[in-house]
């Protein structure tokens, strides 16, 4: 059986869950708290990071880019493509994917999710309003950029649905869980997210619960 | 003509330069200081990051993963492979590539290169010895891990030479330029680096000079 080590509010784990579900591959989930640096987990991924995927043939995959590229190479046929189109299209998808998983993560997701969720729930102190404000300010810059992207093409990575859509939706869903998304100010992003949110692959994410915190009232609502 | 926007001590630019040279593709270089956020450059890459590659057919490529994957897809034939082997091999190369370009960069390269080079040379103050010490401590952790890797296989990404070797060599070469590499304590890394350093693709990097600083005495020496 395929197993994914994940944590509910980890955006990278969410990308892997969405990619597996879009490929219609069955998998079971193991919740991992990577900051505990559990010995067995470090043996799977010495970087002590999520997600880690164990394939049915025991191949161990770590890192969200490596995992999604692997799924794309190995599971083709009539399955959905995560990196569709020409080499040029794929280069654009990868540029955006790296942007989201590195730049957006550092400037936005990390600040908001760490301060709002991890700090208070794991005894690291109270959320710092300055960091949260900075996260929200940068969230605005990025949403403006992605709104401009959606004015020029159908999807985040180009004219095809791709892993870039899954990645942005995964990060935004973590922020939305914590009530930090200014949906009304970004109608193009809101419409795009509503499309992604109604995909069957997204449903399990909407059922996620974490200890110590209820999701924002519209988190599960498909008509938010 | 193919053009690469780069900066001499930017490790990501160096990966792209090495990848292009390994593929035996001709290119010219334009030095860019991305922190100046030049309007024309931001139009090429709104992330304001290096490297950016303009292909002969005007395709604009940004991000080092996107660039190297694109070169691999488009330039095959009898050229060297940057992501060789099976899907499993490639997943391992990508895991290591992300490790180097994200984890190693944040924990080591950024600390050492920023403090030793960018701060004093761009009026940002004196190097902070605490940050430098932290960078060197983490450098040790990573070199231990990569030494262990080289005990178990021929190259950094597996049993084939790959873009993972180019990436680690690119980062280490920036640190070596600044005299921060404890070569004698890591003989396996030293031997591996000596192999990479003697490749024709590496020669232009060894000729790099930056204003305000001479490279360490053994930086160019193939028999260091």
């Amino acid at each position: 059986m395929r197993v994914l080590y994940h944590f509910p509010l980890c955006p990278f784990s969410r990308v892997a869950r969405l990619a597996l579900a879009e490929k219609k591959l069955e998998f079971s989930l193991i919740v991992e708290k990577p900051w505990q640096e559990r010995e067995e987990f470090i043996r799977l991924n010495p970087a002590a990071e999520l997600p880690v995927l164990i394939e049915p043939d025991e191949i161990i995959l770590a890192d969200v880019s490596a995992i999604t590229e692997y799924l794309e190479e190995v599971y083709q046929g009539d399955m959905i493509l995560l990196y569709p189109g020409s080499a040029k299209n794929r280069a654009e998808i990868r540029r955006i994917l790296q942007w989201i998983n590195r730049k957006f993560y550092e400037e936005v997701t990390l600040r908001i999710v760490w301060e709002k969720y991890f700090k208070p729930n794991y005894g690291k102190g109270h959320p710092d309003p300055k960091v949260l404000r900075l996260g929200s300010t940068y969230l605005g810059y990025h949403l403006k950029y992605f709104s401009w992207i959606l004015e020029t093409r159908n999807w985040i990575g180009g004219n095809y649905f791709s892993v870039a859509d899954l990645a942005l939706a995964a990060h935004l869903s973590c922020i939305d869980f914590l009530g930090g998304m200014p949906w009304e100010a970004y109608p193009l992003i809101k419409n795009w997210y509503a499309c992604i949110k109604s995909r069957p692959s997204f449903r399990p994410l909407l059922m996620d619960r974490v200890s110590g915190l209820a999701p924002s009232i519209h988190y599960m609502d498909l008509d938010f």
Side-chain angles (χ1 to χ4, degrees), chain A:
Chain A
M1 180 59 174
R2 188 177 287 107
V3 176
L4 184 76
Y5 288 78
H6 87 125
F7 188 81
L9 282 186
C10 162
F12 311 110
S13 303
R14 289 186 161 215
V15 181
R17 290 165 71 189
L18 291 169
L20 285 162
E22 288 289 343
K23 287 277 188 192
K24 303 208 189 303
L25 297 168
E26 287 192 17
F27 60 104
S28 62
L29 287 170
I30 294 180
V31 173
E32 182 68 40
K33 296 172 178 171
W35 59 90
Q36 294 181 340
E37 303 199 349
R38 208 165 51 83
E39 210 179 305
E40 194 198 328
F41 182 65
I42 299 294
R43 267 201 299 274
L44 293 175
N45 183 11
E49 291 172 349
L50 290 170
V52 172
L53 180 67
I54 318 286
E55 279 281 278
D57 53 8
E58 305 289 318
I59 290 181
I60 302 165
L61 302 166
D63 178 84
V64 68
S65 287
I67 289 173
T68 54
E69 298 265 7
Y70 180 87
L71 296 178
E72 182 77 343
E73 287 186 18
V74 172
Y75 302 105
Q76 296 256 344
D78 58 354
M79 288 169 177
I80 206 168
L81 293 177
L82 302 171
Y83 295 83
S86 66
K88 181 185 171 186
N89 296 142
R90 279 193 291 279
E92 176 65 359
I93 291 164
R94 291 187 181 112
R95 177 183 79 83
I96 297 278
L97 185 66
Q98 293 296 327
W99 174 305
I100 295 164
N101 282 341
R102 202 169 36 76
K103 193 173 174 66
F104 187 91
Y105 174 69
E106 281 166 22
E107 294 177 355
V108 184
T109 321
L110 185 61
R111 284 173 176 149
I112 294 178
V113 177
W114 174 258
E115 293 295 325
K116 273 203 176 180
Y117 175 68
F118 285 97
K119 263 174 90 173
N121 284 286
Y122 289 94
K124 307 285 184 189
H126 295 290
D128 181 339
K130 258 190 293 187
V131 177
L132 273 173
R133 260 201 308 276
L134 205 59
S136 294
T137 303
Y138 274 88
L139 175 59
Y141 299 149
H142 285 270
L143 292 178
K144 245 179 234 167
Y145 176 61
F146 288 115
S147 293
W148 173 81
I149 289 248
L150 289 174
E151 275 176 31
T152 63
R153 60 203 198 193
N154 299 337
W155 298 97
I156 293 296
N159 279 326
Y160 306 105
F161 174 81
S162 77
V163 69
D165 296 285
L166 302 182
L168 185 60
H171 283 259
L172 295 189
S173 72
C174 293
I175 297 166
D176 193 39
F177 188 99
L178 301 168
M181 278 302 300
W183 292 118
E184 298 313 320
Y186 301 94
L188 281 174
I189 301 281
K190 190 185 169 186
N191 285 344
W192 161 85
Y193 187 71
C195 289
I196 307 278
K197 199 176 179 179
S198 62
R199 294 176 79 91
S201 66
F202 219 83
R203 216 163 296 148
L205 273 64
L206 301 180
M207 309 306 290
D208 272 359
R209 293 297 174 270
V210 291
S211 62
L213 200 67
S216 65
I217 38 170
H218 59 264
Y219 175 72
M220 285 183 66
D221 190 358
L222 292 182
D223 190 24
F224 56 107

